[in-house]
């Protein structure tokens, strides 16, 4: 039970002297609040597992500090940190029963027997492992084994945080849903800080109340699912969250106008102080672009195809070299393979060198 | 019944039958034949039935006494070297580096004793332990320890055991190392997270994962040490007295020293039978362990 602060934390597998571009985890300063359900979301190789292993102490960071409730624990070994972690593949102690597996982290820390029995029984009940408690842990299915791993992570009541490293990779999709809801329920019941690493946005958005998006070793945004959707702080977040991802278009922005080729799109805010020499782009989610018949005042685009997703249809179009997706009404065909795009000004964001620029009202 | 009948296949298998018959079956049958007879030289044989076998199992007779005594010595020897080599091999394997160039260096050094011919191993230790010119023997005597494997039973035993440990611990260590290498890194990380001590990691992760290779190591070392001949024969010749005379040495003495072919044949059959039984027990245990593992993986 603790607040976790990362202060200027960075890690390089090539040592501290390696150029910063090559760092697996670029300097990050952030706070994980006690009792939060966090998801660490990003594509493979973005540094999320590195960050997790740094927090748990499996990796010693090249730079920076980790504080648990204000106390610097950076030099402490994993055993001495108050942290639990569940790995991608189930880890089972073959010679023990399921119950002994669950009791292992408590036994190692010298918890009294009565207390151990109580916790094991409780976790066994929460994870539906009760019928197996006295059975050998070896001859179980992969998902039962992963449940045991989860149980070992949850069994200690005093941990600062429980870290999950893509724990549902080996589980069948059907069971994945159940286990994820179970984890969510456990989070509410046990009041533990949980950090859940995943590359699956659905998993992240359904599990967490705060999603931390990582890209190329950097934490690019941390916020609620709604914030990530409405106001991506980085073009990567816009593109990575949402299906299809955000439309990103190079544009010239001056005042309350964005120019694409010769076409002018109105903006809700005013952007007068954009950095010079920066790459300026506008970003807008497909849900806020309408594909209509070409008309004056609309941005003309070439239609590649129309995807019917059942409850919504997206036209895949091209403006110059840029590919966009736009909401298409039922029966939409365009004319001569062309469409006119209508943007919702309140949802058009401006990015300078991929970072969100807040305009003036 | 649409099986193709082609008797020509027999011709292809026939050479193997012939080779096996001449190299194994016929000699074995000769041994069985000898074991039922007594000989006084001049190729004269007399029928003795199961007499030799009765004597073998009766400690009051000369043959039985010698056989059972050497069998006891042999079993004791096997137990002692297993009790030393298995834990020592595990410790060596655990302390070996896991990556870097030192791995290759360690493997080469460990493999060296295994590559030396057995009689050379014997010769090395025979000279090494001599009190007059051997490094070990000379140094031990020089610092005041009265050591002479030629005249002292205990010194002879210590020499033979240390020699075997030197020669074969590497094998156990290499097998254990292979077992250890197969443990995924996640197990160690999980154990760290679970706050496991070094001993708990060994007991909960490393030992269970080394189970199978250890079983193989014990099997190999038991069989080898139970059949040991060359090394102790070169070093001590079975002496002083009979103190390091193991079953194989006794067998050679009876067969080639006294030329008692009947007694020797009976002894070698019983010796063979013991080895077969032990092999069978190990094989059964190992395949059972294998099946259990398959079960687990099938379920996973």
């Amino acid at each position: 039970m603790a607040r976790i602060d990362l202060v200027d934390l960075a890690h390089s597998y090539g040592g501290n002297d390696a150029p910063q571009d090559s760092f697996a985890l670029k300097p990050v300063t952030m706070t994980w609040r006690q009792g939060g359900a966090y998801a660490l979301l990003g594509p493979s190789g973005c540094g999320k597992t590195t960050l997790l292993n740094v927090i748990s102490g499996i990796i010693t960071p090249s730079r920076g500090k980790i504080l648990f409730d204000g106390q610097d624990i950076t030099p402490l070994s994993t055993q001495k940190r108050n942290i639990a972690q569940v790995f991608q593949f189930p880890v089972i102690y073959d010679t023990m029963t399921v119950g002994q597996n669950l009791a292992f982290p408590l036994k190692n820390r010298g918890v009294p027997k009565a207390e151990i029995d109580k916790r094991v029984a409780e976790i066994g009940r929460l994870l539906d492992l009760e019928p197996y408690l006295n059975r050998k842990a070896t001859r179980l299915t992969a998902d039962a084994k992963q449940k045991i791993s989860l149980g070992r992570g949850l069994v200690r009541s005093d941990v600062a945080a429980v870290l999950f490293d893509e724990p549902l990779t080996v589980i069948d999709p059907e069971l994945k849903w159940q286990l994820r809801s179970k984890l969510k329920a456990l989070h509410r019941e046990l009041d533990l800080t949980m950090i859940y690493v995943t590359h699956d946005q659905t998993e992240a958005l359904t599990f967490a109340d705060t999603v931390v998006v990582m890209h190329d070793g950097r934490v690019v945004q941390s916020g609620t699912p709604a914030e990530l959707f409405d106001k991506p702080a980085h073009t990567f977040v816009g593109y990575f969250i949402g299906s299809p991802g955000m439309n990103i278009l190079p544009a010239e922005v001056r005042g309350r106008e964005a120019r694409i080729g010769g076409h002018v799109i109105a903006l809700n805010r005013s952007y007068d102080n954009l950095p010079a020499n920066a790459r300026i782009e506008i970003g807008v989610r497909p849900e806020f672009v309408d594909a209509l018949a070409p008309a004056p005042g609309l941005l003309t685009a070439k239609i590649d195809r129309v995807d019917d997703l059942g409850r919504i249809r997206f036209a895949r179009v091209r403006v110059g070299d840029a590919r966009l997706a736009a909401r298409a009404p039922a029966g939409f065909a365009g004319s001569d393979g062309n469409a006119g795009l209508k943007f919702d000004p309140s949802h058009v964001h401006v990015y300078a060198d991929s970072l969100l620029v807040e305009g003036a009202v | 019944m649409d099986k193709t009948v082609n008797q020509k296949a027999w011709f292809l298998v026939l050479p193997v039958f012939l080779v096996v018959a001449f190299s194994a079956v016929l000699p074995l049958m000769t041994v069985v034949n000898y074991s039922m007879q007594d000989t006084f030289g001049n190729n004269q044989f007399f029928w003795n039935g199961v007499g030799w076998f009765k004597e073998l199992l009766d400690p009051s007779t000369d043959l039985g006494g010698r056989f059972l005594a050497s069998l006891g010595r042999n079993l004791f020897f096997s137990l002692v070297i297993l009790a030393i080599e298995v834990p020592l091999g595990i410790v060596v394997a655990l302390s070996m580096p896991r990556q870097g160039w030192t791995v290759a260096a360690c493997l080469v050094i460990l493999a060296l004793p295994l590559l030396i011919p057995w009689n050379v191993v014997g010769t090395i230790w025979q000279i090494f332990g001599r009190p007059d010119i051997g490094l070990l023997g000379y140094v031990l005597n020089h610092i005041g320890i009265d050591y002479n494997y030629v005249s002292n039973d205990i010194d002879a035993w210590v020499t033979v055991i240390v020699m075997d440990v030197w020669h074969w611990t590497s094998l156990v260590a290499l097998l254990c190392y292979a077992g250890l290498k197969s443990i995924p890194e996640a197990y160690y990380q999980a154990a760290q997270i679970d706050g496991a001590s070094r001993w708990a990691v060994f007991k909960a992760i490393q030992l269970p994962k080394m189970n199978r290779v250890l079983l193989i190591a014990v099997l190999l070392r038991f069989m080898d040490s139970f059949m040991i001949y060359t090394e102790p024969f070169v070093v001590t010749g079975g002496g002083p007295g009979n103190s390091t005379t193991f079953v194989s040495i006794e067998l050679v003495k009876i067969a080639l020293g006294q030329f008692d072919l009947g007694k020797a044949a009976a002894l070698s059959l019983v010796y063979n039978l013991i080895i077969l039984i032990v092999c069978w027990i190990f094989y059964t245990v190992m395949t059972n362990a294998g099946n259990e593992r398959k079960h687990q993986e099938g379920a996973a």
Side-chain angles (χ1 to χ4, degrees):
Chain A
M1 307 262 183
R3 197 186 76 218
I4 301 176
D5 291 293
L6 310 181
V7 183
D8 201 23
L9 194 71
H11 184 72
S12 162
Y13 291 103
N16 203 7
D17 297 330
Q20 207 180 81
D21 277 351
S22 73
F23 272 43
L25 179 65
K26 287 161 185 124
V28 56
T29 298
M30 66 182 299
T31 298
W32 313 78
R33 105 192 154 268
Q34 140 66 17
Y38 290 91
L40 207 48
L41 177 65
S44 305
C46 73
K48 49 196 194 317
T49 298
T50 304
L51 177 55
L52 207 67
N53 288 345
V54 166
I55 296 177
S56 66
I58 289 169
I59 296 175
T60 309
S62 312
R63 272 182 221 170
K65 284 192 289 194
I66 310 163
L67 312 178
F68 285 8
D69 275 338
Q71 208 185 345
D72 185 0
I73 52 99
T74 324
L76 291 188
S77 69
T78 305
Q79 284 98 326
K80 301 224 171 79
R81 285 180 198 198
N82 226 346
I83 206 113
Q85 186 168 357
V86 179
F87 296 90
Q88 190 167 1
F89 297 100
V91 172
I92 295 299
Y93 303 116
D94 295 344
T95 47
M96 304 183 194
T97 64
V98 175
Q100 285 166 334
N101 260 281
L102 293 179
F104 193 60
L106 299 175
K107 224 175 108 194
N108 286 327
R109 289 180 171 79
V111 176
K113 177 130 187 4
E115 173 73 20
I116 294 181
D117 291 345
K118 212 181 98 209
R119 282 301 289 180
V120 169
E122 186 184 351
I123 295 297
R125 180 178 55 80
L126 289 173
L127 287 171
D128 304 323
L129 284 172
E130 268 172 326
Y132 306 110
L133 282 181
N134 290 319
R135 274 179 51 179
K136 274 252 184 266
T138 41
R139 292 195 183 181
L140 296 172
T141 56
D143 41 81
K145 284 183 177 176
Q146 189 63 330
K147 269 199 205 169
I148 298 171
S149 299
L150 287 171
R152 279 208 319 274
L154 298 167
V155 77
R156 289 159 59 201
S157 54
D158 60 337
V159 285
V162 187
L163 315 179
F164 300 95
D165 190 357
E166 310 200 21
L168 303 184
T169 313
V170 291
I171 312 282
D172 291 337
E174 169 64 19
L175 216 65
K176 238 182 202 169
W177 265 104
Q178 290 178 22
L179 269 180
R180 201 159 53 221
S181 332
K182 190 125 246 171
L183 274 182
K184 187 106 181 138
L186 284 170
H187 174 250
R188 265 178 252 130
E189 198 154 336
L190 300 172
D191 190 32
L192 292 168
T193 310
M194 293 188 178
I195 303 176
Y196 189 106
V197 164
T198 176
H199 58 250
D200 177 346
Q201 52 164 314
T202 324
E203 218 168 272
L205 299 175
T206 50
F207 172 78
D209 37 56
T210 308
V211 178
V212 178
V213 183
M214 289 191 70
H215 172 52
D216 196 19
R218 244 178 258 283
V219 171
V220 287
Q221 188 171 10
S222 139
T224 62
E227 281 168 1
L228 296 184
F229 189 81
D230 290 339
K231 220 174 167 189
H234 190 281
T235 47
F236 173 78
V237 180
Y239 153 82
F240 194 69
I241 307 250
S243 177
M246 191 183 228
N247 298 313
I248 313 280
L249 282 167
E252 277 173 59
V253 175
R254 203 162 300 139
R256 286 175 186 272
E257 289 182 341
R259 258 169 213 284
I260 298 165
H263 182 80
V264 174
I265 296 169
L267 299 172
N268 246 13
R269 288 163 178 254
S270 161
Y271 299 85
D272 286 320
N273 297 318
L274 288 176
N277 303 326
R279 186 166 37 91
I280 306 295
E281 289 158 319
I282 60 166
V284 56
R285 292 217 171 262
E287 287 81 355
F288 305 113
V289 184
D290 284 312
L292 306 168
L298 299 184
L299 177 62
T300 310
K302 259 187 142 45
I303 303 175
D304 281 342
R305 61 175 202 276
V306 176
D307 290 343
D308 194 339
L309 304 183
R311 68 198 152 77
I312 193 165
R313 296 144 59 88
F314 284 108
R316 303 292 186 153
V317 300
R318 247 182 309 164
V319 177
D321 288 336
R323 286 164 192 281
L324 308 183
R327 206 166 49 172
F332 172 76
S335 73
D336 300 336
N338 284 329
L341 301 182
K342 185 168 161 243
F343 294 80
D344 177 347
S346 60
H347 286 101
V348 179
H349 302 291
V350 176
Y351 295 89
D353 282 340
S354 303
L355 294 174
L356 181 69
V357 182
E358 294 276 359
V361 183
Chain B
M1 281 291 279
D2 44 353
K3 216 169 163 187
T4 318
V5 180
N6 187 347
Q7 305 294 359
K8 265 185 254 169
W10 289 108
F11 287 105
L12 301 176
V13 190
L14 200 62
V16 181
F17 276 144
L18 285 176
V19 169
V20 171
F22 278 101
S23 69
V25 180
L26 289 182
L28 186 68
M29 286 308 122
T30 319
V31 173
V32 172
N33 181 28
Y34 280 154
S35 73
M36 304 283 185
Q37 308 194 44
D38 193 3
T39 169
F40 299 107
N42 275 342
N43 246 357
Q44 285 183 294
F45 288 94
F46 302 90
W47 180 252
N48 191 24
V50 294
W52 295 133
F53 294 95
K54 276 188 189 154
E55 266 190 44
L56 263 182
L57 302 174
D58 179 4
S60 60
T61 61
D62 171 62
L63 179 62
R66 284 166 70 183
F67 168 64
L68 292 173
S70 63
L71 183 65
R73 280 192 288 268
N74 217 149
L75 288 173
F76 180 70
F77 175 74
S78 293
L79 276 181
V80 170
I81 63 109
L82 281 179
I84 297 175
E85 286 174 15
V86 170
L88 190 61
I90 293 175
V91 170
V92 170
L94 285 175
S95 41
M96 271 175 70
R98 291 220 214 141
Q99 49 205 351
W101 64 270
T102 43
V103 174
C106 280
L107 291 179
V108 170
I109 291 172
L110 279 180
L112 276 180
L114 302 176
L115 299 175
I116 300 175
W118 296 4
N119 58 343
V120 176
V121 172
T123 311
I124 290 174
W125 281 83
Q126 198 242 347
I127 295 172
F128 190 45
R130 273 174 66 165
D132 51 350
I133 57 165
L135 186 61
L136 176 73
Y138 183 80
V139 169
L140 280 180
N141 281 295
H142 202 72
I143 59 173
I145 299 169
D146 186 20
Y147 167 84
N148 189 341
Y149 67 79
V150 182
S151 60
N152 185 309
D153 291 0
I154 294 178
D155 291 351
W157 265 89
V158 168
T159 310
V160 174
I161 285 169
V162 170
M163 174 174 64
D164 198 81
V165 169
W166 175 83
H167 193 181
W168 290 112
T169 303
S170 297
L171 179 75
V172 182
L174 289 176
L175 283 169
C176 288
Y177 186 67
L180 284 176
K181 284 281 266 192
S182 69
I183 303 175
E185 193 55 33
Y187 275 78
Y188 294 111
Q189 294 177 346
Q192 269 186 50
I193 297 280
D194 290 338
S197 60
R198 186 70 198 77
W199 173 243
V201 169
F202 176 70
K203 232 177 60 178
I205 298 173
Q206 291 170 324
L207 198 56
K209 297 275 173 199
M210 279 193 294
N211 243 344
R212 274 166 62 82
V213 286
L214 273 180
L215 212 58
I216 294 172
V218 169
L219 171 67
L220 288 177
R221 283 315 303 134
F222 178 80
M223 301 319 287
D224 261 356
S225 63
F226 193 67
M227 300 189 296
I228 194 164
Y229 175 77
T230 316
E231 300 140 283
F233 182 75
V234 172
V235 178
T236 66
N242 277 329
S243 63
T244 54
T245 301
F246 300 123
V247 180
S248 59
I249 297 179
E250 197 70 86
L251 176 62
V252 173
K253 273 189 194 168
I254 296 172
L256 303 180
Q258 306 164 208
F259 221 72
D260 268 330
L261 291 184
K263 291 179 183 179
L267 198 160
S268 61
L269 282 179
V270 172
Y271 194 16
N272 212 354
L273 199 65
I274 296 174
I275 290 171
L276 275 178
I277 290 171
V278 173
C279 255
W280 175 75
I281 291 172
F282 270 104
Y283 178 79
T284 313
V285 170
M286 264 163 55
T287 41
N288 275 353
N291 282 343
E292 207 162 285
R293 180 163 290 221
K294 242 182 243 160
H295 263 288
Q296 289 167 27
E297 272 154 19

